[in-house]
Amino acid sequence: MSAYRTPKTLAALKMVERMAEKLEGRMKPGSPAHSTYVTAHRLAASVDNLEELARTRSPSETPEAHAMRVAAAARKLTGNMAEVQAKLNQNLNQKAGEFTARISAATGLGQETPHAPEIRAYFRSLSPQDRTTHLAQAIKDRDTTTLAAIMSGPEYLAGLDKQMKDRFLDMYQREVAPELVADWETYVEADQDAQHVLAVARQAAEQAFDPAHVAEILSKDAEAKAAGEKLEASMGELMTPPAAA
């Protein structure tokens, strides 16, 4: 294989290398993150192989026939990439729903608890500093009654803003389910990287052939076909006896 690669293909391969280095030790075999990495690796390998095809013309093949073969392969690969994109998006949505269900079960914050309105009213009456202190203590104590009351209702009912509520929810999730949160974050990171690889790989596939050149070949091919049909017609007429006078 030639050492030369176009910038887009080289970029896709380098992105996969960095992806592997970044996620090393964090991807469990068979996990969604690992499967996503494998998909990214295969995307980069596919455009690399397409590029090798473009560089490798058989001696028995004309330049025009080779250009058409590369164009057909590139278009097929681009179509496959559209299916890969749809599958990545579908997987992300599915895994997000699974994570939400699992983290809700792990934290115990999925439903309203007894005295929730009173707890929220109490927190609303506190000063911002006391509110922060009480929330931090509730997280430390894993006080699900208090935390569920705060997290299940609109943030303003407990005197919080959304940023503060999200920050404390994240703290609690990491406190009670660190491995689950870590696996989810690794998967999301892998998905983002794979999407970037996909975008660059698609550009590489689109640049593997010249559409104008392919159109010119098709046009000349149509002219040649028409000329052949015209010749066949004239030879048919030649072999047909003239009509009697």
Side-chain angles (χ1 to χ4, degrees):
M1 181 186 297
S2 170
Y4 175 77
R5 293 184 174 97
T6 59
K8 291 298 182 183
T9 297
L10 185 60
L13 292 168
K14 290 293 185 183
M15 289 169 71
V16 171
E17 287 181 11
R18 289 195 297 269
M19 185 178 176
E21 293 170 359
K22 186 170 57 173
L23 299 177
E24 185 178 5
R26 297 163 55 194
M27 293 186 298
K28 301 173 183 176
S31 68
H34 185 264
S35 298
T36 302
Y37 163 75
V38 171
T39 297
H41 185 277
R42 289 174 177 173
L43 281 167
S46 293
V47 291
D48 194 31
N49 291 334
L50 174 63
E51 199 164 284
E52 183 182 8
L53 173 67
R55 292 192 299 265
T56 311
R57 178 170 67 89
S58 168
S60 63
E61 189 177 39
T62 66
E64 290 76 14
H66 180 65
M68 294 301 295
R69 188 157 66 96
V70 172
R75 286 168 172 157
K76 181 178 180 180
L77 180 55
T78 301
N80 290 344
M81 288 180 182
E83 294 182 19
V84 169
Q85 172 117 56
K87 187 63 176 177
L88 286 173
N89 294 341
Q90 179 184 351
N91 288 345
L92 181 62
N93 290 334
Q94 178 183 339
K95 297 304 177 185
E98 292 175 4
F99 170 76
T100 299
R102 292 178 64 191
I103 199 68
S104 178
T107 59
L109 304 183
Q111 297 182 352
E112 188 91 337
T113 57
H115 309 297
E118 293 90 337
I119 293 172
R120 286 193 288 267
Y122 170 71
F123 266 79
R124 193 167 59 247
S125 70
L126 297 174
S127 67
Q129 183 176 352
D130 287 344
R131 200 176 296 133
T132 299
T133 300
H134 278 65
L135 268 175
Q137 188 62 47
I139 290 174
K140 182 179 179 181
D141 296 340
R142 300 194 179 188
D143 181 357
T144 55
T145 300
T146 297
L147 292 169
I150 300 300
M151 301 302 173
S152 62
E155 52 269 6
Y156 65 85
L157 291 179
L160 306 175
D161 57 37
K162 188 176 187 308
Q163 183 179 6
M164 186 178 183
K165 179 181 176 180
D166 290 345
R167 178 164 60 89
F168 277 101
L169 177 59
D170 181 69
M171 288 172 57
Y172 186 61
Q173 289 175 345
R174 293 176 188 279
E175 173 71 22
V176 300
E179 186 173 345
L180 180 59
V181 172
D183 287 347
W184 169 248
E185 290 179 339
T186 300
Y187 170 58
V188 170
E189 191 173 346
D191 178 77
Q192 292 172 345
D193 289 344
Q195 295 284 359
H196 292 153
V197 172
L198 176 61
V200 174
R202 182 183 287 116
Q203 291 173 352
E206 291 170 350
Q207 293 174 7
F209 69 99
D210 181 358
H213 185 212
V214 170
E216 182 183 1
I217 294 172
L218 289 173
S219 176
K220 290 182 177 179
D221 186 62
E223 291 176 6
K225 182 178 180 181
E229 291 173 348
K230 187 176 180 181
L231 173 60
E232 288 293 332
S234 65
M235 288 192 299
E237 290 176 355
L238 177 65
M239 302 307 295
T240 302

